[in-house]
Amino acid sequence: MYTSLIPLAVIGTIWTSLFTFKVLNFIWIYFLRPSSIKKYHHNHIHSSAPPWAIITGASDGIGKQYAHELARLDFNIVLHGRNATKLHHLRTELHDEFPHLSFRAIVADASKSGPESSKHIQEIVDTLRDLHVTILINNVGSGGYRDGTVYAEIQDTEPEDIDHLINVNARFPAQFTRAVVPLLLSHGGPALILSMGSMGELGCPKLSLYGAAKCFDMSFSRALRREMILAGRDHVEVLGIMTGSVTGVSHNKSKATLQTPDSGDFARGAFQKVGCGEDVVAATAFQGLVWNMVRAMPLFLRDQSLISGIKRDMEMRAKLAKKA
Ligand SMILES: NC(=O)c1ccc[n+]([C@@H]2O[C@H](COP(=O)([O-])OP(=O)(O)OC[C@H]3O[C@@H](n4cnc5c(N)ncnc54)[C@H](OP(=O)(O)O)[C@@H]3O)[C@@H](O)[C@H]2O)c1
Ligand SMILES: *[C@@H]1O[C@H](CO)[C@@H](O)[C@H](O)[C@H]1NC(C)=O
Ligand SMILES: *[C@@H]1O[C@H](CO)[C@@H](O)[C@H](O)[C@H]1NC(C)=O
């Protein structure tokens, strides 16, 4: 008489096993697994070719912390940014702390578009041909309009700001990656492409362009990962980092909280995920949990949480602006 319950029992067992697996996998990835970033520190060509990493948007925030972390791991670094003075300061700072390493700076405004700008990107990357590059970090990105506005409805957005946001967050990373991949493949050894996503891609109101451009980055990263597998290049790791709010960056200098980690802790968290085998992963356990929970919500709850989240943020910014 209980045979009719067997299918239910089977479904229940499968569901419980899958859920248990997910929980254990989460604990493994976010708390236990050691990073395999050191495997990108190699001399695959010959012993006298020291490994280099390239970081875009390295002059501030998370990019700057990535630079410090990679220097600690003994990588030579190409620092990209738009402000030559800021890059020069960072180079000096790194040089003083790590005198045995080399640092180069490259300047390119990521908000420009058109054939001239794509040519410029290729020309800059051509100057790096002599380097043994094993890591590319696509970090450059900005949620702000040209005047610094962050939250705006689409009809109140200037056409130039639409181009600006798409250029900085999507077009430049795509052009830059295209130019750098041949360097990463040239030595035939392990190589890593790490790119920055944003929870904005969940579809936050008044952040439509930024979220859509960051969604481009993660879709691009997921596809590149499979492109490498398809081509038999499984020594090339392609990893997307889903990013919630981070402090210690150009637009936020407040104290860190569980929800909003400091850029240094964030950078270490992201590097700890290297080698985890996911296509996209969060840098901290808390942000990973939030990301999974929001995606699992029914639509009406997701609507509520994304809308109230933006409302809260706008109120806080308004308060801060009043104080300043
Ligand atoms: N912080 C967050 O809460 C958060 C949340 C989600 C995702 N993210 C992502 O994390 C990444 C880093 O963000 P962050 O908060 O660390 O940013 P940040 O502190 O503002 O630093 C951004 C870096 O990118 C450079 N940059 C900005 N616009 C540029 C342009 N037009 N041309 C060339 N370089 C440009 C900046 O150069 P300058 O020094 O000249 O300004 C700086 O080096 C971005 O991809 C961002 O989308 C951040
Ligand atoms: C570049 O950075 C320096 C140092 O932070 C700053 O004084 C200068 O105004 C910046 N230049 C531009 C064009 O933003
Ligand atoms: C700035 O960081 C604080 C935590 O230190 C966080 O509560 C706040 O949401 C952040 N602000 C923005 C605009 O991201």
Side-chain angles (χ1 to χ4, degrees), residues 258-306:
L258 190 58
Q259 199 172 353
T260 308
D262 161 73
S263 50
D265 290 332
F266 183 92
R268 284 182 287 278
F271 283 166
Q272 188 253 318
K273 304 304 172 296
V274 170
C276 72
E278 297 285 314
D279 53 356
V280 174
V281 69
T284 69
F286 191 86
Q287 293 196 347
L289 197 65
V290 170
W291 185 45
N292 283 316
M293 270 168 33
V294 176
R295 282 186 308 163
M297 281 175 185
L299 185 59
F300 78 98
L301 270 185
R302 218 177 323 146
D303 284 348
Q304 254 177 31
S305 74
L306 292 174

Side-chain angles (χ1 to χ4, degrees), residues 150-151 245-249 251-262 312-314 316-317 320:
V150 175
Y151 299 114
S245 114
V246 179
T247 185
V249 298
H251 68 270
N252 198 345
K253 310 280 184 207
S254 348
K255 240 179 95 215
T257 61
L258 190 58
Q259 199 172 353
T260 308
D262 161 73
R312 234 181 300 128
D313 237 51
M314 285 175 56
M316 203 168 58
R317 272 174 194 260
L320 284 179

Side-chain angles (χ1 to χ4, degrees), residues 57-114:
S59 53
D60 212 328
I62 303 167
K64 194 172 176 176
Q65 297 301 324
Y66 278 146
H68 275 97
E69 283 308 309
L70 285 174
R72 257 171 231 137
L73 291 164
D74 229 23
F75 281 89
N76 302 286
I77 308 171
V78 176
L79 309 157
H80 158 267
R82 71 179 144 184
N83 183 325
T85 316
K86 274 175 94 167
L87 283 171
H88 177 75
H89 285 317
L90 175 61
R91 230 184 120 187
T92 315
E93 189 181 308
L94 287 167
H95 217 275
D96 290 346
E97 198 178 339
F98 307 94
H100 62 293
L101 295 174
S102 303
F103 302 97
R104 283 199 200 174
I106 54 175
V107 179
D109 185 346
S111 69
K112 298 278 184 289
S113 62

Side-chain angles (χ1 to χ4, degrees), residues 12 14 58 75 122 124 129 135 146 155 157 173 184 194 200 206 212 241 261 268 277 279 303 324:
I14 293 178
F75 281 89
Q122 184 64 57
I124 291 177
R129 279 229 183 114
I135 295 183
R146 289 162 305 158
Q155 69 277 15
T157 303
L184 293 170
L194 188 139
K206 299 196 166 207
I241 301 291
R268 284 182 287 278
D279 53 356
D303 284 348

